[in-house]
């Protein structure tokens, strides 16, 4: 035992947060106890409400407390395009850019047989069902450019193509503001292969 | 609004933790919602219990849920020495070293007139009262070697000396494992001034 039991238990519980080790957890516990009890209580309440209240959108599988999320429920969105991403945070990134007006499908992960995550876990059948039932014309694959993300994109491509829908993959290349000399060779290869004629 | 209201509120509430910005808060919220709801609920419960249950030790002012902390209540400790530190985390650091067997007095901060923290806020009168009532022979000042910590140590020295008790200050100098060439000049000056004859 380091401090009193309640403080020890709080420090231990804080370690469930990603990136929080014993020292940070201790600092967080003392900060809340010494200077921000109101914030701590508020956090306890929000955690409890969110853990119990947040479920998945029945249509796109993202996290939401409604049966369907606000994007799936927004009838001003383009219902002919569906963008497949790995996590709700990816949806947020697209929404912040303001460039995309279609719908989403959130896999909540990527194919990873070694962790027991197969097509069923990432909801591929839900996606195919939506292709059958809705007027979707194009599926944009925006999984991460990692080995698992690419494999997932490849698998979904095969499945979707067999249903006759158009499939596209977002472009990978040199990011804006990036300097060519610091870009890794994999990215450079993508940038070169994905080159477009200037007219 | 970025995500659904409950998720937004959770992200906002997580930002009361020190060192947690918008991106980390978002990552924490999604981690808990996607992968560790049990941990999230446990954290909510511990936060609630600790925020309501933890108060100050009536003797040394450290954070504890008992009326007196386990150190003040331990009658095997040396009751003639009292070590003055700024925070409960400092007590923990001393306890981990296992080198100190006396009692503590936790200021819960340092003198900082600009923030309205005077002698009353750091409990100097409680310390002086303990000197009167208990058989304390030595007060060891272990405030931080910062401007505020030094000022606090100086103030307490004056007060304690006027009551006839012995006052000492922990040594400041080159830390073990530190390389001399990387040590700042303030620390070097302390190390030189605090030199001891080798016999």
């Amino acid at each position: 035992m380091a401090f009193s039991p309640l403080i020890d238990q709080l420090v231990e519980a804080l370690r469930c947060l990603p990136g929080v080790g014993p020292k940070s957890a201790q600092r967080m516990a003392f900060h809340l106890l010494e200077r921000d009890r109101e914030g701590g209580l508020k956090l306890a309440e929000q955690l409890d409400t969110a853990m119990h209240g947040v479920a998945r959108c029945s249509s796109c599988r993202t996290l939401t407390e409604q049966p369907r999320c606000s994007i799936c429920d927004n009838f001003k969105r383009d219902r002919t395009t569906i963008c497949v991403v790995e996590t709700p945070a990816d949806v947020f990134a697209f929404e912040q850019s303001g460039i995309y007006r279609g719908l989403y499908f959130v896999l909540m992960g990527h194919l990873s047989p070694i962790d027991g995550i197969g097509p069923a876990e990432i909801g591929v059948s839900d996606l195919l069902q939506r292709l059958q039932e809705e007027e979707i014309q194009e599926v944009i694959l925006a999984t991460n450019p990692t080995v698992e993300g690419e494999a997932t994109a490849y698998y979904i491509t095969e499945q979707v193509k067999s249903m006759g829908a158009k499939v596209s993959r977002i472009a990978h290349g040199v990011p804006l503001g990036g300097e060519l000399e610091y870009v890794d060779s994999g990215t450079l290869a993508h940038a070169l292969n994905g080159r477009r004629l200037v007219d």
Side-chain angles (χ1 to χ4, degrees), chain A:
Chain A
M1 199 200 68
F3 310 103
S4 69
L6 276 191
I7 303 180
D8 287 349
Q9 285 158 27
L10 175 59
V11 170
E12 189 52 41
L14 280 164
R15 296 197 51 194
C16 74
L17 298 171
V20 175
K23 272 278 170 195
S24 319
Q26 185 186 311
R27 195 163 67 97
M28 287 173 170
F30 281 124
H31 171 85
L32 293 178
L33 287 167
E34 287 170 26
R35 280 186 287 275
D36 195 8
R37 297 216 177 197
E38 212 172 300
L41 286 173
K42 180 91 186 148
L43 176 56
E45 191 194 316
Q46 293 297 350
L47 273 169
D48 196 70
T49 321
M51 294 302 129
H52 283 119
V54 174
R56 301 270 187 91
C57 170
S58 62
S59 177
C60 75
R61 289 168 48 95
T62 197
L63 294 167
T64 178
E65 67 262 31
Q66 273 105 34
R68 271 160 66 96
C69 75
S70 56
I71 295 174
C72 290
D73 255 353
N74 181 349
F75 282 91
K76 285 186 188 151
R77 310 272 313 199
D78 170 15
R79 310 214 139 242
T80 63
T81 321
I82 196 162
C83 180
V84 177
V85 295
E86 292 187 19
T87 67
D90 298 337
V91 173
F92 179 58
F94 270 107
E95 289 301 294
Q96 273 206 315
S97 79
I99 211 78
Y100 181 67
R101 297 295 306 155
L103 300 177
Y104 293 96
F105 188 83
V106 184
L107 302 171
M108 300 296 275
H110 46 236
L111 286 178
S112 177
I114 215 164
D115 303 313
I117 300 174
E121 281 70 27
I122 61 172
V124 174
S125 57
D126 294 1
L127 176 64
L128 299 179
Q129 202 182 333
R130 281 185 69 177
L131 288 181
Q132 274 186 327
E133 292 170 2
E134 301 172 30
E135 72 271 45
I136 294 156
Q137 285 162 17
E138 182 176 359
V139 175
I140 302 171
L141 296 173
T143 53
N144 289 324
T146 57
V147 175
E148 295 88 351
E150 292 291 353
T152 308
Y154 179 78
Y155 178 83
I156 295 173
T157 306
E158 294 299 300
Q159 301 289 311
V160 171
K161 267 189 178 163
S162 70
M163 298 193 58
K166 204 161 61 175
V167 185
S168 60
R169 181 96 175 96
I170 53 165
H172 296 119
V174 180
L176 301 193
E179 287 190 59
L180 224 61
E181 61 173 317
Y182 298 116
V183 167
D184 65 294
S185 53
T187 303
L188 266 188
H190 267 289
L192 208 57
N193 284 333
R195 70 189 180 277
R196 289 206 253 173
L197 279 178
V198 181
D199 48 19

